[in-house]
Amino acid sequence: MKLFIKDLQPFSVVEDTGFKEFVNMLNPGYKIPNRHSISKTLIPAAYEKYVNEVKETISNELVTACLTTDCWTSRDNKSYIAITVHFIDNNFNLKSILLSCHSFIENHTSENLAEQINKTLDAWNLKSKIVFSVSDNAYNIQNALAQLKFKHFGIDNPLKVLQDVATRWNATFYMLERFVQLETSIRGTMGLLDNAPPCLNSDEWTAIKEFCNILRPFEEATRAVSGDQYMTASLVIVIAQGLKNVCEQMKNENYSLRTLG
C-alpha cells in the first residue's frame, strides 16, 4: 500500500511483468492483489483506518489550530481546494493534518469558498478551535476567511516552480532548489492528476537535495564574482581556494549520488 500512498505509484504497477517477477523473487507464495482490489477495497479501507486515527489525534491533542488553504487549477483545467490545520501536540511537536483536498467545481466566489471551508471544519468539529488562517492574497479567499471571522495572514508572493536557462548553469541550481522547497506541493499535485508525468521516487528526491547542497557553494561563488559594485578580480584566488577546500570536504560525505551512479 505504501507504493501508492507514499510513493504515488500508479495502481497499474501490480500488472507490470518486472514488478511481478521482483515480488515473486522476494516471496514466491505471495499473491499480488489486482488493481481493482487495490482501488475499490484496500485504498478505501486504508483511508477509513487513517481517518479514524486522525480523528482520535484531533480529539486528544488539538486544542487550538492554524488553518491554511489554497485553490488552484491543474494543467487539464480542473480546480482543486486544499484545507490543512497545524497545531502543537501534547509533546510540543508541530503537526500538520490535511483535512481535505479534492476537486472544486463551483465558481470560486467568496461565498462558495467559505461554505466549503466551513463544511470541512464542521465535519471535523474544528471550527471553534481555529485561531488563525493563512492563504495567498487572492480577494476571494481573503473575503471567504473574513466571512468565517478568522484572523488572516496573506502571502504576498507565493512560490512557483522555476525553469532553468540553458546559458546560465546557476539557473539549474535555482530550479532544483525551488523544486525541493515545493516538494510537498508537487508530490500532492502529481497524485491528483489523471495523466501525470512520471513521478520521482524517494532516491531521486534525495539525489536532488544532495545536488543542491553540492552546487550551493558554486552558486555563491558565481554570484560573488558577478558583482558590479566592486572589483571582482581580487576575489578569484580566495574563492577558488575556498571551493577547493569545499570539494575536499565533500569527498568525505556519504552521498547517495555515488550509489545512483
Side-chain angles (χ1 to χ4, degrees):
M1 292 298 293
K2 291 181 180 179
L3 280 173
F4 316 110
I5 297 172
K6 291 191 172 183
D7 296 335
L8 304 179
Q9 295 295 317
F11 298 149
S12 59
V13 71
V14 299
E15 299 174 352
D16 293 345
T17 302
F19 181 75
K20 289 180 178 178
E21 292 177 354
F22 176 68
V23 172
N24 183 67
M25 180 181 67
L26 296 176
N27 186 354
Y30 179 70
K31 183 178 179 182
I32 302 176
N34 60 51
R35 61 191 300 180
H36 299 293
S37 296
I38 293 169
S39 62
K40 298 183 183 301
T41 303
L42 299 181
I43 290 290
Y47 173 78
E48 290 299 326
K49 174 178 179 291
Y50 288 118
V51 164
N52 291 331
E53 290 180 359
V54 169
K55 285 182 177 179
E56 184 176 353
T57 298
I58 288 175
S59 175
N60 296 334
E61 301 186 30
L62 191 155
V63 179
T64 58
C66 170
L67 176 145
T68 58
T69 184
D70 191 22
C71 297
W72 70 94
T73 302
S74 65
R75 283 188 181 181
D76 52 357
N77 207 33
K78 292 182 179 179
S79 296
Y80 297 90
I81 184 172
I83 302 169
T84 306
V85 290
H86 315 267
F87 64 97
I88 305 296
D89 67 9
N90 296 333
N91 295 316
F92 295 96
N93 295 314
L94 176 63
K95 285 192 173 181
S96 297
I97 295 177
L98 178 65
L99 301 179
S100 175
C101 183
H102 55 77
S103 60
F104 189 71
I105 59 176
E106 293 84 1
N107 291 329
H108 289 195
T109 63
S110 300
E111 291 74 18
N112 288 339
L113 291 171
E115 181 181 359
Q116 181 60 54
I117 295 170
N118 190 56
K119 186 187 301 182
T120 299
L121 294 177
D122 281 344
W124 293 89
N125 194 28
L126 282 176
K127 187 174 181 181
S128 63
K129 298 182 178 182
I130 302 300
V131 296
F132 202 73
S133 60
V134 179
S135 73
D136 60 26
N137 276 337
Y139 171 79
N140 54 353
I141 192 65
Q142 287 193 70
N143 196 31
L145 294 171
Q147 289 180 33
L148 295 171
K149 296 181 170 49
F150 292 150
K151 292 182 179 179
H152 175 253
F153 177 77
I155 301 174
D156 293 323
N157 298 304
L159 297 179
K160 298 180 180 180
V161 293
L162 301 176
Q163 181 65 50
D164 65 341
V165 180
T167 57
R168 298 184 63 191
W169 82 265
N170 51 347
T172 302
F173 167 76
Y174 299 140
M175 178 184 69
L176 294 176
E177 185 179 51
R178 180 60 57 82
F179 208 63
V180 169
Q181 289 177 312
L182 298 176
E183 177 182 357
T184 302
S185 299
I186 291 171
R187 282 177 177 258
T189 302
M190 295 286 280
L192 293 171
L193 298 178
D194 293 330
N195 299 308
C199 187
L200 298 177
N201 58 39
S202 298
D203 288 338
E204 290 169 330
W205 277 107
T206 300
I208 290 177
K209 293 172 185 176
E210 291 178 350
F211 268 127
C212 289
N213 290 334
I214 292 170
L215 294 176
R216 188 167 288 110
F218 294 91
E219 186 277 333
E220 293 174 357
T222 301
R223 188 152 35 89
V225 298
S226 299
D228 58 4
Q229 300 297 318
Y230 51 86
M231 298 295 294
T232 57
S234 60
L235 300 175
V236 172
I237 295 177
V238 176
I239 290 176
Q241 185 60 48
L243 288 176
K244 183 179 179 180
N245 294 338
V246 169
C247 290
E248 289 298 324
Q249 293 176 14
M250 287 182 181
K251 289 181 181 179
N252 300 321
E253 298 291 336
N254 186 27
Y255 289 121
S256 62
L257 297 172
R258 295 190 177 98
T259 305
L260 294 175

